[in-house]
Amino acid sequence: MKDYASLTDEQLALLYVGGDFRAFDLLLERNQQKLYSYILFVVHDPEVANDIFQETFVKVITKLQDGKYTDSGKFNFWLSRIAHNVIMDTYRHQKNSHIVEPTEDNDLNKLRSNDLMDINRENEYVNSQVMNDVHHLMDSLPTAQREVVYMRYYQDLSFKEIAEITGVSINTSLGRMRYALINMRRMAKEHHIQLNMEL
């Protein structure tokens, strides 16, 4: 009997490709909560998130069965990339009306390059309330900006990894983060929210 628990996601995916359905069950079990949380955070609608989650795994199954997955050691990135593409397809079809795009009023010169990048474990306790406020502000961000912030701070991905998953350049990922920070600062000021965090 195989010791599935000791296998990596990549190994499980390849076992499934070889016809081992138990391997896929475990792969789904391991990844469903993290993937669903990511999708829900981006789309803000549990019903839409469920649809996207299901469509993502249908695509995963199809791609695995078609031999379109090779063990690159990055199963999570591959999975996130598929989910990202399904989310973007959904938005293209639905034309989300809650998007707030950057405006001419946004001044990138006011932004320090290290904003929100150096939060460390020592500051975590002190910053917990601020992060709760930030989470609420993030809900009002455009989808692309919200997604980058989520990947950076909730999934702890580098900008290179974010760029790879979302299919854009690193500069575009950084730009989206800058606009997100600008927008969150503007919203915090408008709503009189104190962001007393060492940025």
Side-chain angles (χ1 to χ4, degrees), residues 31-56:
N31 289 282
Q32 63 185 356
Q33 185 58 48
K34 184 176 179 181
L35 184 66
Y36 179 79
S37 296
Y38 159 61
I39 294 168
L40 181 61
F41 188 86
V42 174
V43 303
H44 284 114
D45 183 328
E47 190 173 321
V48 174
N50 281 323
D51 290 344
I52 290 173
F53 177 83
Q54 290 173 25
E55 186 176 344
T56 297

Side-chain angles (χ1 to χ4, degrees), residues 63-136:
K63 287 177 183 294
L64 286 171
Q65 290 176 345
D66 289 347
K68 294 182 179 173
Y69 175 76
T70 54
D71 183 1
S72 62
K74 295 184 175 184
F75 182 81
N76 285 332
F77 291 154
W78 185 71
L79 188 61
S80 296
R81 179 64 189 254
I82 293 172
H84 167 79
N85 289 340
V86 174
I87 291 168
M88 293 303 107
D89 287 345
T90 300
Y91 275 109
R92 274 193 279 278
H93 288 100
Q94 294 181 352
K95 301 280 189 184
N96 189 313
S97 61
H98 291 63
I99 301 295
V100 179
E101 294 296 342
T103 66
E104 295 288 325
D105 296 332
N106 288 333
D107 182 3
L108 293 178
N109 293 325
K110 294 179 183 175
L111 186 68
R112 295 197 320 259
S113 64
N114 64 343
D115 282 354
L116 291 178
M117 297 299 160
D118 297 323
I119 297 171
N120 57 39
R121 299 281 181 226
E122 294 172 11
N123 293 332
E124 192 170 325
Y125 177 78
V126 175
N127 294 335
S128 62
Q129 181 56 51
V130 173
M131 289 308 292
N132 285 337
D133 292 337
V134 168
H135 187 277
H136 291 297

